[in-house]
Amino acid sequence: KNASLNDAILMAGNLNVLKGPIYLTRYKSDGDVETRKIKFKLSNRRGSKNNPILKDGDIVNVNKNGLKNFNEIVRDLTFPFVPIYSTYKLFD
């Protein structure tokens, strides 16, 4: 109760420089859905536009940025070759 967006992100842990955009999805009482892109800063004032107080049912998505996505793709593509190369170098 009474947690702000920053509180929730900090409690989730693993806050790093490579985080991407943050989206807050809120279901309103009239049935509408509001999705906002949030600019995260630790210094955002509690209750402000970029650090709102969360309500029951709010969904917070912290996406990956482009560099992190690129790194994961490269890792996934090269992973099968690392053991093969290591074994080759062992007998070389």
Side-chain angles (χ1 to χ4, degrees):
K1 274 192 162 185
N2 297 321
S4 70
L5 179 71
N6 283 8
D7 295 337
I9 292 171
L10 292 172
M11 280 192 272
N14 199 17
L15 180 65
N16 62 42
V17 179
L18 298 179
K19 71 176 175 18
I22 296 170
Y23 293 93
L24 172 66
T25 302
R26 178 169 283 170
Y27 295 90
K28 297 182 175 184
S29 58
D30 62 3
D32 286 345
V33 178
E34 173 190 18
T35 300
R36 293 185 356 216
K37 186 174 181 179
I38 305 286
K39 294 180 181 179
F40 176 80
K41 288 184 187 173
L42 285 174
S43 62
N44 285 341
R45 196 180 85 252
R46 184 180 179 80
S48 67
K49 178 182 175 187
N50 287 317
N51 188 15
I53 302 298
L54 298 176
K55 297 180 180 179
D56 233 6
D58 283 353
I59 299 171
V60 178
N61 290 314
V62 180
N63 296 307
K64 299 172 189 166
N65 73 6
L67 179 61
K68 192 164 188 172
N69 282 334
F70 176 76
N71 285 341
E72 288 182 2
I73 290 169
V74 169
R75 185 191 67 219
D76 289 346
L77 290 174
T78 59
F79 177 75
F81 301 106
V82 171
I84 294 169
Y85 181 76
S86 297
T87 303
Y88 171 77
K89 282 309 223 179
L90 183 69
F91 293 109
D92 187 26

